[in-house]
PDB file of all heavy atoms in Angstrom:
ATOM      1  N   SER A  13      20.838  -2.010 -86.455  1.00 91.00           N
ATOM      2  CA  SER A  13      21.485  -0.748 -86.831  1.00 91.00           C
ATOM      3  C   SER A  13      22.125  -0.096 -85.615  1.00 91.00           C
ATOM      4  O   SER A  13      21.800  -0.423 -84.469  1.00 91.00           O
ATOM      5  CB  SER A  13      20.452   0.221 -87.429  1.00 91.00           C
ATOM      6  OG  SER A  13      19.524   0.615 -86.421  1.00 91.00           O
ATOM      7  N   CYS A  14      22.986   0.843 -85.905  1.00 92.00           N
ATOM      8  CA  CYS A  14      23.575   1.634 -84.820  1.00 92.00           C
ATOM      9  C   CYS A  14      22.506   2.490 -84.150  1.00 92.00           C
ATOM     10  O   CYS A  14      22.559   2.718 -82.946  1.00 92.00           O
ATOM     11  CB  CYS A  14      24.704   2.503 -85.368  1.00 92.00           C
ATOM     12  SG  CYS A  14      25.571   3.420 -84.075  1.00 92.00           S
ATOM     13  N   THR A  15      21.535   2.955 -84.920  1.00 94.00           N
ATOM     14  CA  THR A  15      20.441   3.735 -84.348  1.00 94.00           C
ATOM     15  C   THR A  15      19.726   2.924 -83.273  1.00 94.00           C
ATOM     16  O   THR A  15      19.455   3.423 -82.173  1.00 94.00           O
ATOM     17  CB  THR A  15      19.444   4.170 -85.445  1.00 94.00           C
ATOM     18  OG1 THR A  15      20.143   4.924 -86.438  1.00 94.00           O
ATOM     19  CG2 THR A  15      18.316   5.004 -84.869  1.00 94.00           C
ATOM     20  N   ALA A  16      19.437   1.672 -83.573  1.00 93.00           N
ATOM     21  CA  ALA A  16      18.797   0.801 -82.581  1.00 93.00           C
ATOM     22  C   ALA A  16      19.710   0.613 -81.372  1.00 93.00           C
ATOM     23  O   ALA A  16      19.244   0.578 -80.226  1.00 93.00           O
ATOM     24  CB  ALA A  16      18.453  -0.550 -83.194  1.00 93.00           C
ATOM     25  N   GLY A  17      21.013   0.500 -81.605  1.00 94.00           N
ATOM     26  CA  GLY A  17      21.969   0.361 -80.508  1.00 94.00           C
ATOM     27  C   GLY A  17      22.018   1.593 -79.628  1.00 94.00           C
ATOM     28  O   GLY A  17      22.069   1.485 -78.396  1.00 94.00           O
ATOM     29  N   LEU A  18      22.002   2.772 -80.234  1.00 96.00           N
ATOM     30  CA  LEU A  18      21.979   4.017 -79.463  1.00 96.00           C
ATOM     31  C   LEU A  18      20.708   4.103 -78.623  1.00 96.00           C
ATOM     32  O   LEU A  18      20.748   4.459 -77.440  1.00 96.00           O
ATOM     33  CB  LEU A  18      22.069   5.232 -80.391  1.00 96.00           C
ATOM     34  CG  LEU A  18      23.396   5.471 -81.094  1.00 96.00           C
ATOM     35  CD1 LEU A  18      23.236   6.519 -82.189  1.00 96.00           C
ATOM     36  CD2 LEU A  18      24.457   5.890 -80.101  1.00 96.00           C
ATOM     37  N   HIS A  19      19.577   3.764 -79.227  1.00 96.00           N
ATOM     38  CA  HIS A  19      18.299   3.807 -78.522  1.00 96.00           C
ATOM     39  C   HIS A  19      18.309   2.845 -77.341  1.00 96.00           C
ATOM     40  O   HIS A  19      17.945   3.205 -76.213  1.00 96.00           O
ATOM     41  CB  HIS A  19      17.167   3.483 -79.501  1.00 96.00           C
ATOM     42  CG  HIS A  19      15.819   3.560 -78.897  1.00 96.00           C
ATOM     43  ND1 HIS A  19      14.865   2.589 -79.088  1.00 96.00           N
ATOM     44  CD2 HIS A  19      15.237   4.482 -78.088  1.00 96.00           C
ATOM     45  CE1 HIS A  19      13.763   2.917 -78.428  1.00 96.00           C
ATOM     46  NE2 HIS A  19      13.968   4.055 -77.817  1.00 96.00           N
ATOM     47  N   LEU A  20      18.729   1.614 -77.585  1.00 95.00           N
ATOM     48  CA  LEU A  20      18.767   0.609 -76.528  1.00 95.00           C
ATOM     49  C   LEU A  20      19.725   1.007 -75.402  1.00 95.00           C
ATOM     50  O   LEU A  20      19.423   0.813 -74.226  1.00 95.00           O
ATOM     51  CB  LEU A  20      19.176  -0.746 -77.111  1.00 95.00           C
ATOM     52  CG  LEU A  20      19.121  -1.931 -76.171  1.00 95.00           C
ATOM     53  CD1 LEU A  20      17.724  -2.134 -75.597  1.00 95.00           C
ATOM     54  CD2 LEU A  20      19.585  -3.189 -76.893  1.00 95.00           C
ATOM     55  N   SER A  21      20.863   1.596 -75.757  1.00 95.00           N
ATOM     56  CA  SER A  21      21.818   2.003 -74.719  1.00 95.00           C
ATOM     57  C   SER A  21      21.255   3.113 -73.839  1.00 95.00           C
ATOM     58  O   SER A  21      21.478   3.128 -72.621  1.00 95.00           O
ATOM     59  CB  SER A  21      23.156   2.419 -75.334  1.00 95.00           C
ATOM     60  OG  SER A  21      23.018   3.590 -76.111  1.00 95.00           O
ATOM     61  N   LEU A  22      20.507   4.040 -74.426  1.00 97.00           N
ATOM     62  CA  LEU A  22      19.877   5.087 -73.617  1.00 97.00           C
ATOM     63  C   LEU A  22      18.843   4.486 -72.670  1.00 97.00           C
ATOM     64  O   LEU A  22      18.782   4.843 -71.490  1.00 97.00           O
ATOM     65  CB  LEU A  22      19.228   6.147 -74.509  1.00 97.00           C
ATOM     66  CG  LEU A  22      20.188   7.047 -75.286  1.00 97.00           C
ATOM     67  CD1 LEU A  22      19.422   7.897 -76.291  1.00 97.00           C
ATOM     68  CD2 LEU A  22      21.006   7.926 -74.355  1.00 97.00           C
ATOM     69  N   LEU A  23      18.038   3.564 -73.182  1.00 96.00           N
ATOM     70  CA  LEU A  23      17.040   2.910 -72.336  1.00 96.00           C
ATOM     71  C   LEU A  23      17.717   2.112 -71.218  1.00 96.00           C
ATOM     72  O   LEU A  23      17.285   2.151 -70.061  1.00 96.00           O
ATOM     73  CB  LEU A  23      16.148   1.991 -73.171  1.00 96.00           C
ATOM     74  CG  LEU A  23      15.234   2.672 -74.187  1.00 96.00           C
ATOM     75  CD1 LEU A  23      14.516   1.631 -75.026  1.00 96.00           C
ATOM     76  CD2 LEU A  23      14.252   3.610 -73.502  1.00 96.00           C
ATOM     77  N   ALA A  24      18.781   1.404 -71.562  1.00 95.00           N
ATOM     78  CA  ALA A  24      19.493   0.595 -70.566  1.00 95.00           C
ATOM     79  C   ALA A  24      20.107   1.452 -69.468  1.00 95.00           C
ATOM     80  O   ALA A  24      20.220   1.017 -68.317  1.00 95.00           O
ATOM     81  CB  ALA A  24      20.583  -0.237 -71.245  1.00 95.00           C
ATOM     82  N   CYS A  25      20.470   2.672 -69.810  1.00 97.00           N
ATOM     83  CA  CYS A  25      21.057   3.594 -68.822  1.00 97.00           C
ATOM     84  C   CYS A  25      19.989   4.384 -68.064  1.00 97.00           C
ATOM     85  O   CYS A  25      20.316   5.204 -67.208  1.00 97.00           O
ATOM     86  CB  CYS A  25      22.015   4.558 -69.514  1.00 97.00           C
ATOM     87  SG  CYS A  25      23.530   3.772 -70.075  1.00 97.00           S
ATOM     88  N   GLY A  26      18.733   4.173 -68.415  1.00 97.00           N
ATOM     89  CA  GLY A  26      17.651   4.855 -67.709  1.00 97.00           C
ATOM     90  C   GLY A  26      17.435   6.290 -68.142  1.00 97.00           C
ATOM     91  O   GLY A  26      16.812   7.076 -67.425  1.00 97.00           O
ATOM     92  N   VAL A  27      17.936   6.655 -69.306  1.00 98.00           N
ATOM     93  CA  VAL A  27      17.761   8.020 -69.806  1.00 98.00           C
ATOM     94  C   VAL A  27      16.335   8.179 -70.292  1.00 98.00           C
ATOM     95  O   VAL A  27      15.815   7.320 -71.010  1.00 98.00           O
ATOM     96  CB  VAL A  27      18.763   8.326 -70.943  1.00 98.00           C
ATOM     97  CG1 VAL A  27      18.510   9.705 -71.533  1.00 98.00           C
ATOM     98  CG2 VAL A  27      20.191   8.216 -70.433  1.00 98.00           C
ATOM     99  N   GLY A  28      15.704   9.285 -69.882  1.00 97.00           N
ATOM    100  CA  GLY A  28      14.312   9.505 -70.269  1.00 97.00           C
ATOM    101  C   GLY A  28      13.902  10.949 -70.129  1.00 97.00           C
ATOM    102  O   GLY A  28      14.734  11.859 -70.091  1.00 97.00           O
ATOM    103  N   ARG A  29      12.604  11.139 -70.016  1.00 97.00           N
ATOM    104  CA  ARG A  29      12.015  12.477 -69.958  1.00 97.00           C
ATOM    105  C   ARG A  29      12.679  13.337 -68.893  1.00 97.00           C
ATOM    106  O   ARG A  29      12.872  12.895 -67.770  1.00 97.00           O
ATOM    107  CB  ARG A  29      10.518  12.363 -69.672  1.00 97.00           C
ATOM    108  CG  ARG A  29       9.773  13.652 -69.847  1.00 97.00           C
ATOM    109  CD  ARG A  29       8.310  13.476 -70.181  1.00 97.00           C
ATOM    110  NE  ARG A  29       7.982  12.488 -71.189  1.00 97.00           N
ATOM    111  CZ  ARG A  29       8.127  12.661 -72.513  1.00 97.00           C
ATOM    112  NH1 ARG A  29       8.609  13.781 -72.968  1.00 97.00           N
ATOM    113  NH2 ARG A  29       7.788  11.709 -73.361  1.00 97.00           N
ATOM    114  N   GLY A  30      13.060  14.540 -69.316  1.00 95.00           N
ATOM    115  CA  GLY A  30      13.669  15.502 -68.403  1.00 95.00           C
ATOM    116  C   GLY A  30      15.186  15.406 -68.317  1.00 95.00           C
ATOM    117  O   GLY A  30      15.826  16.287 -67.771  1.00 95.00           O
ATOM    118  N   ASP A  31      15.770  14.339 -68.860  1.00 97.00           N
ATOM    119  CA  ASP A  31      17.228  14.211 -68.842  1.00 97.00           C
ATOM    120  C   ASP A  31      17.843  15.011 -69.983  1.00 97.00           C
ATOM    121  O   ASP A  31      17.186  15.314 -70.975  1.00 97.00           O
ATOM    122  CB  ASP A  31      17.648  12.749 -68.992  1.00 97.00           C
ATOM    123  CG  ASP A  31      17.287  11.916 -67.779  1.00 97.00           C
ATOM    124  OD1 ASP A  31      17.304  12.457 -66.651  1.00 97.00           O
ATOM    125  OD2 ASP A  31      16.978  10.724 -67.949  1.00 97.00           O
ATOM    126  N   GLU A  32      19.111  15.340 -69.819  1.00 96.00           N
ATOM    127  CA  GLU A  32      19.894  15.972 -70.872  1.00 96.00           C
ATOM    128  C   GLU A  32      21.051  15.049 -71.223  1.00 96.00           C
ATOM    129  O   GLU A  32      21.660  14.449 -70.347  1.00 96.00           O
ATOM    130  CB  GLU A  32      20.441  17.327 -70.420  1.00 96.00           C
ATOM    131  CG  GLU A  32      19.370  18.358 -70.165  1.00 96.00           C
ATOM    132  CD  GLU A  32      19.927  19.714 -69.775  1.00 96.00           C
ATOM    133  OE1 GLU A  32      21.102  19.790 -69.370  1.00 96.00           O
ATOM    134  OE2 GLU A  32      19.183  20.698 -69.885  1.00 96.00           O
ATOM    135  N   VAL A  33      21.324  14.928 -72.519  1.00 96.00           N
ATOM    136  CA  VAL A  33      22.403  14.074 -73.003  1.00 96.00           C
ATOM    137  C   VAL A  33      23.355  14.929 -73.831  1.00 96.00           C
ATOM    138  O   VAL A  33      22.949  15.562 -74.805  1.00 96.00           O
ATOM    139  CB  VAL A  33      21.866  12.912 -73.855  1.00 96.00           C
ATOM    140  CG1 VAL A  33      23.011  12.059 -74.383  1.00 96.00           C
ATOM    141  CG2 VAL A  33      20.886  12.074 -73.049  1.00 96.00           C
ATOM    142  N   ILE A  34      24.612  14.957 -73.412  1.00 94.00           N
ATOM    143  CA  ILE A  34      25.624  15.732 -74.122  1.00 94.00           C
ATOM    144  C   ILE A  34      26.081  14.947 -75.342  1.00 94.00           C
ATOM    145  O   ILE A  34      26.403  13.767 -75.257  1.00 94.00           O
ATOM    146  CB  ILE A  34      26.817  16.031 -73.198  1.00 94.00           C
ATOM    147  CG1 ILE A  34      26.369  16.903 -72.031  1.00 94.00           C
ATOM    148  CG2 ILE A  34      27.948  16.705 -73.972  1.00 94.00           C
ATOM    149  CD1 ILE A  34      27.361  17.007 -70.907  1.00 94.00           C
ATOM    150  N   THR A  35      26.111  15.622 -76.485  1.00 94.00           N
ATOM    151  CA  THR A  35      26.592  15.026 -77.721  1.00 94.00           C
ATOM    152  C   THR A  35      27.196  16.128 -78.586  1.00 94.00           C
ATOM    153  O   THR A  35      27.197  17.294 -78.208  1.00 94.00           O
ATOM    154  CB  THR A  35      25.467  14.271 -78.459  1.00 94.00           C
ATOM    155  OG1 THR A  35      26.048  13.529 -79.534  1.00 94.00           O
ATOM    156  CG2 THR A  35      24.396  15.209 -78.975  1.00 94.00           C
ATOM    157  N   THR A  36      27.711  15.733 -79.710  1.00 91.00           N
ATOM    158  CA  THR A  36      28.301  16.688 -80.637  1.00 91.00           C
ATOM    159  C   THR A  36      27.378  16.887 -81.836  1.00 91.00           C
ATOM    160  O   THR A  36      26.698  15.944 -82.245  1.00 91.00           O
ATOM    161  CB  THR A  36      29.675  16.191 -81.111  1.00 91.00           C
ATOM    162  OG1 THR A  36      30.124  17.010 -82.185  1.00 91.00           O
ATOM    163  CG2 THR A  36      29.627  14.765 -81.581  1.00 91.00           C
ATOM    164  N   PRO A  37      27.372  18.080 -82.419  1.00 88.00           N
ATOM    165  CA  PRO A  37      26.597  18.268 -83.644  1.00 88.00           C
ATOM    166  C   PRO A  37      27.290  17.642 -84.860  1.00 88.00           C
ATOM    167  O   PRO A  37      26.687  17.514 -85.910  1.00 88.00           O
ATOM    168  CB  PRO A  37      26.498  19.794 -83.778  1.00 88.00           C
ATOM    169  CG  PRO A  37      27.675  20.318 -83.041  1.00 88.00           C
ATOM    170  CD  PRO A  37      27.943  19.338 -81.935  1.00 88.00           C
ATOM    171  N   MET A  38      28.523  17.196 -84.689  1.00 87.00           N
ATOM    172  CA  MET A  38      29.285  16.571 -85.781  1.00 87.00           C
ATOM    173  C   MET A  38      29.007  15.067 -85.785  1.00 87.00           C
ATOM    174  O   MET A  38      29.892  14.255 -85.528  1.00 87.00           O
ATOM    175  CB  MET A  38      30.784  16.833 -85.604  1.00 87.00           C
ATOM    176  CG  MET A  38      31.173  18.280 -85.623  1.00 87.00           C
ATOM    177  SD  MET A  38      31.085  18.995 -87.262  1.00 87.00           S
ATOM    178  CE  MET A  38      32.400  18.134 -88.077  1.00 87.00           C
ATOM    179  N   THR A  39      27.770  14.698 -86.048  1.00 88.00           N
ATOM    180  CA  THR A  39      27.362  13.304 -86.000  1.00 88.00           C
ATOM    181  C   THR A  39      26.179  13.098 -86.929  1.00 88.00           C
ATOM    182  O   THR A  39      25.636  14.054 -87.488  1.00 88.00           O
ATOM    183  CB  THR A  39      27.005  12.891 -84.556  1.00 88.00           C
ATOM    184  OG1 THR A  39      26.742  11.490 -84.523  1.00 88.00           O
ATOM    185  CG2 THR A  39      25.822  13.657 -84.022  1.00 88.00           C
ATOM    186  N   PHE A  40      25.767  11.860 -87.066  1.00 90.00           N
ATOM    187  CA  PHE A  40      24.593  11.529 -87.857  1.00 90.00           C
ATOM    188  C   PHE A  40      23.340  11.975 -87.098  1.00 90.00           C
ATOM    189  O   PHE A  40      23.321  11.988 -85.868  1.00 90.00           O
ATOM    190  CB  PHE A  40      24.577  10.015 -88.110  1.00 90.00           C
ATOM    191  CG  PHE A  40      23.551   9.559 -89.092  1.00 90.00           C
ATOM    192  CD1 PHE A  40      23.642   9.922 -90.427  1.00 90.00           C
ATOM    193  CD2 PHE A  40      22.495   8.774 -88.686  1.00 90.00           C
ATOM    194  CE1 PHE A  40      22.693   9.500 -91.349  1.00 90.00           C
ATOM    195  CE2 PHE A  40      21.536   8.337 -89.597  1.00 90.00           C
ATOM    196  CZ  PHE A  40      21.645   8.706 -90.926  1.00 90.00           C
TER     197      PHE A  40
END
């Protein structure tokens, strides 16, 4: 799924506790 892809991409980029991720509220 795309959800799994989003999760894996965050992990691959080292995003974790204490980080902030900019996104739009116009999304799933």
Side-chain angles (χ1 to χ4, degrees):
S13 67
C14 184
T15 302
L18 290 168
H19 183 226
L20 186 58
S21 66
L22 290 171
L23 293 175
C25 289
V27 176
R29 191 154 315 283
D31 291 327
E32 295 182 342
V33 178
I34 296 167
T35 190
T36 170
M38 299 287 292
T39 186
F40 189 66

